Amino acid sequence: MARNRKYQSAAIRFGPALKAILLCLFIGGSGIGYVWQKNQIDELGKQIKKREVRLSDLQRQNKSGRDKLAELGSPKWLDYQVRELRLGLGLPQQSQIRTLIEPPAAPESTNATERLYAERQAR
Amino acid sequence: MVKTLQFQRVLMLVLLLVAAFVGLGYRLVDLQVLRHEQLLVKAQENTQRTLLVSPRRGDILDARGNLLATSIFVKTVCADPSLIGDRHAEMARVLAPLLKVGESRLTERLKLRTIRLDAGGEPVFDKHVVLKHKVKVEEWKQIQQILTSQTFGLATGKLTGAEKYFLGNLQQKAIFTEEDQLRLYPNQALAAHVLGYLDKTGHGVDGIEKTLDAELDGARGWRQMENDKRGRELVALRQQDVEARDGLNVVLTIDSVLQHIVESELVAAMEKHTPISISAIVVRPRTGEILAMATLPTFDPNNLGDGDKEAKARRNRVISDFAEPGSTFKIVVVSGALNEHIVKLTDSFDCERGRFEFAGKVLHDHESYGVLSVENIITKSSNIGAAKIGIKLGEPQLYRYICDFGFGVRTGIPLGGEIGGWVHDLTNWTKLSISRIPMGHEVTVTPLQMAMAMCAIANNGWLMRPMLVDRLEDSDHQIAVKYSPQRVRQVISEATARQMVTALKTVVSPDGTAAKAALEHYTVAGKTGTAQKIVNGAYSNEKYFSSFIGFFPADDPELCISVVMDEPKHGYYGGQAAAPVFKQIAERAAGYLNIRPDSLEETPLSETIAGGSPSLFGKTVAVPSP
């Protein structure tokens, strides 16, 4: 007893208390961290799922849009529209097409068009 | 005494606790060790699931990337009658208008049925009843919303726990879906015989859909996953996630605009001549690429009928119908004879004033001709002239040229149902054969074979394999397989081919049999055919196959077009019925493909655009019609 009194054994021993607190904090922190991490994983999983669903929806919409575009661009539909709206559109007849004969290269020519053509031929 | 009592009480408590722990311990060992395997499987069944991911079937595109066939994901709506119980009538009432299925039929399907008895004699119920295939995703979402808002005749105010559970199942689990795909053909009947169609399981039955079924199909993926008690996936616990590989896209050589031109002209001809059927093919002779292939009557692969008429309309007559070709076949005998230098274009044959007796039978011409040159035999399509050239060529040589031109065997077009026609083996030829075969009797060919033979003449004598698929590519347009034109063989020399072109050009002249096939701005080479049909074993004088096969510009051919009619009315000669259709198709196709005219007076540039725009060089410009 005397020895205890001499060394003031009743006084607060901070070292072990601190160690105990740190240990508790570590264990508690690890627990909370583990739960937080699991929660985050779960949350990210939900987000992934949500985005997968969204992506799938967008892909479906995109596909649907492309299909609609293809339908609107189909020759049958265009033909029908031209007739229905009386647009009078059609491919030009051969009599409406004039084919231009390319002249032979003329290096001395002063005509800008022909000079350009000659240069192109030279290339 | 007190101590003893206390001790006994403590002992009892301890014993109880020990017994409890032993019991718990045993239970733990039982669950975790003794029944581990069995319970593990059960637990996994409750939480783990393997989801099969279907690949999207590849698209079919035309040569310019236009969509001809595509697939969209849809749902197959199913029911679990064991979760519906006695509410099948109420459920049917809700579902009938949504699924557009008869209510009484639906009520019957939703009734609980025993499919068998298990080992213990207990009934096993049918928990999977298909209610409707091919329901669009948007429609299914609507159905889901409506189902969750229904009470199915249950008084929601005073439901017991079991009733609430039952209602929850009715609203959310009793009706479920499975993944499915719907094949769409945005252009309806356009190129239907080339594209083909699918059966109910999603596999190709005909056309390209069948030939390239494996390539279009893709590879299935899968996902191993765990669900929570509400059935939601726990993404973090996903174990295997293998993506499906979508099917490859097939790019055809078909041009949808050209196909539309051909089909619309065939419809017009169908109205005018009311034949049983009419077919046309447009081929690029240099490569053998098929730019259009059409047959009427046709069908819409989006809505296949069940009747006999619809089934007949699904037959691709271009490759699966054979008939005697008639005079178009004369190109074979004349080509052979020219190639063997047995005759020249200027050589003359006596056409016997339209009546030639050979091997005890009389052969007739449709008109009385005297002496005709080889070229004129083609121009006038003289049967007697062709027979005499055939006799001069000889049986073995004629037979060889028939085979070399590809008759009697399939062309190898990648479409199912192609037949090779019918060419008698040389040993089976009769004495009469050598006079009949040159005019297209005693042999049967498909319209495609005949068109490819004409293409060989247009292509300097080289017979090409018909090409229908240009390439296979993935969804990112990366080419997986590229197909190239294939030469089969050189049937005749280039010089012979040129002579044949010279002769075939005269067919569309005013003196020829197909003046109506002549084009204003292009020289055309071609041949008519009018073959009598065989009715009850004899040639009919009322029923004919009429055809015209031609190519243009004759000296540098871009397109070869074949038109075949089965029993046309109001004119049955090839030059009357088929040639005008050729002309219509050719004119529109030439305008669309911007084929340079070869019989057009061209305007020198200096006269047209004095000091004009350089951007016009080498191009054609449209000017208003006068």
Side-chain angles (χ1 to χ4, degrees), chain A residues 27-82:
Chain A
I27 292 168
S30 299
I32 291 169
Y34 179 76
V35 171
W36 178 82
Q37 190 197 22
K38 285 284 168 192
N39 196 39
Q40 283 295 103
I41 290 170
D42 186 55
E43 193 56 41
L44 286 172
K46 282 177 185 165
Q47 283 182 21
I48 289 170
K49 191 76 200 168
K50 211 179 275 178
R51 279 165 172 71
E52 279 177 350
V53 171
R54 174 97 180 111
L55 180 66
S56 156
D57 275 352
L58 288 173
Q59 280 173 339
R60 200 174 54 247
Q61 282 172 22
N62 188 19
K63 178 82 184 70
S64 162
R66 276 193 292 138
D67 292 351
K68 187 75 190 162
L69 186 67
E71 205 170 311
L72 291 174
S74 74
K76 208 169 185 175
W77 171 254
L78 291 176
D79 215 25
Y80 169 77
Q81 285 292 296
V82 168

Side-chain angles (χ1 to χ4, degrees), chain B residues 187-402:
Chain B
N187 298 295
Q188 291 88 41
L190 192 84
H193 291 98
V194 175
L195 301 177
Y197 53 95
L198 306 183
D199 62 12
K200 283 179 183 169
T201 62
H203 289 290
V205 178
D206 204 358
I208 286 294
E209 296 277 26
K210 184 184 180 188
T211 314
L212 295 174
D213 193 40
E215 288 80 358
L216 285 163
D217 228 11
R220 191 181 266 184
W222 69 89
R223 180 182 290 172
Q224 275 191 345
M225 55 192 204
E226 279 194 35
N227 288 350
D228 65 9
K229 65 175 184 180
R230 288 186 183 175
R232 292 175 306 194
E233 189 200 354
L234 300 167
V235 179
L237 300 179
R238 205 178 269 179
Q239 290 167 30
Q240 287 185 25
D241 190 7
V242 179
E243 278 191 23
R245 183 178 58 74
D246 288 346
L248 294 170
N249 294 338
V250 176
V251 182
L252 301 178
T253 55
I254 295 281
D255 184 313
S256 57
V257 175
L258 214 49
Q259 180 76 24
H260 175 65
I261 289 171
V262 170
E263 288 188 13
S264 56
E265 290 303 335
L266 292 191
V267 168
M270 191 86 172
E271 282 170 11
K272 190 176 174 191
H273 294 283
T274 59
I276 292 174
S277 73
I278 178 167
S279 306
I281 321 162
V282 180
V283 190
R284 189 167 274 146
R286 273 195 296 271
T287 58
E289 287 169 285
I290 294 177
L291 304 182
M293 178 191 275
T295 293
L296 293 183
T298 187
F299 66 101
D300 181 356
N302 294 302
N303 295 302
L304 296 170
D306 295 327
D308 191 42
K309 194 177 158 193
E310 284 85 354
K312 277 183 182 168
R314 289 200 286 270
R315 197 170 76 235
N316 186 355
R317 293 166 192 262
V318 174
I319 57 167
S320 60
D321 271 19
F322 60 86
E324 288 188 341
S327 297
T328 49
F329 204 73
K330 286 170 187 161
I331 61 170
V332 176
V333 66
V334 178
S335 295
L338 288 171
N339 202 49
E340 295 296 321
H341 305 291
I342 289 168
V343 297
K344 294 196 290 286
L345 279 184
T346 49
D347 286 356
S348 297
F349 285 86
D350 183 3
C351 293
E352 314 276 351
R353 312 295 327 161
R355 188 183 156 83
F356 174 51
E357 200 173 315
F358 184 80
K361 294 270 183 181
V362 179
L363 179 64
H364 295 279
D365 263 335
H366 59 280
E367 274 182 50
S368 166
Y369 297 119
V371 175
L372 290 179
S373 66
V374 172
E375 185 176 298
N376 280 338
I377 286 170
I378 290 280
T379 313
K380 305 283 185 192
S381 196
S382 164
N383 294 335
I384 296 168
K388 286 193 169 182
I389 295 172
I391 292 163
K392 203 168 179 188
L393 179 62
E395 289 180 355
Q397 294 285 33
L398 178 58
Y399 180 72
R400 184 170 70 80
Y401 277 101
I402 292 170

Side-chain angles (χ1 to χ4, degrees), chain B residues 427-441:
Chain B
T427 51
N428 294 328
W429 283 26
T430 63
K431 280 185 180 172
L432 213 57
S433 298
I434 190 65
S435 65
R436 296 296 187 264
I437 292 175
M439 55 185 254
H441 283 197

Side-chain angles (χ1 to χ4, degrees), chain B residues 101-160:
Chain B
V101 179
E103 192 179 323
S104 54
R105 188 166 162 259
L106 217 49
T107 310
E108 278 305 306
R109 292 196 63 74
L110 291 172
K111 281 181 184 168
L112 192 59
R113 267 186 200 81
T114 307
I115 46 175
R116 63 184 165 87
L117 297 177
D118 66 8
E122 291 295 315
V124 177
F125 296 110
D126 188 0
K127 294 183 176 183
H128 186 278
V129 177
V130 174
L131 301 180
K132 196 177 181 189
H133 291 282
K134 317 288 182 199
V135 174
K136 288 190 177 165
V137 177
E138 291 76 18
E139 288 173 13
W140 168 241
K141 282 184 177 172
Q142 275 184 354
I143 293 169
Q144 270 183 314
Q145 277 180 358
I146 291 168
L147 284 176
T148 47
S149 65
Q150 296 294 315
T151 59
F152 302 99
L154 294 167
T156 46
K158 40 193 171 182
L159 290 180
T160 63

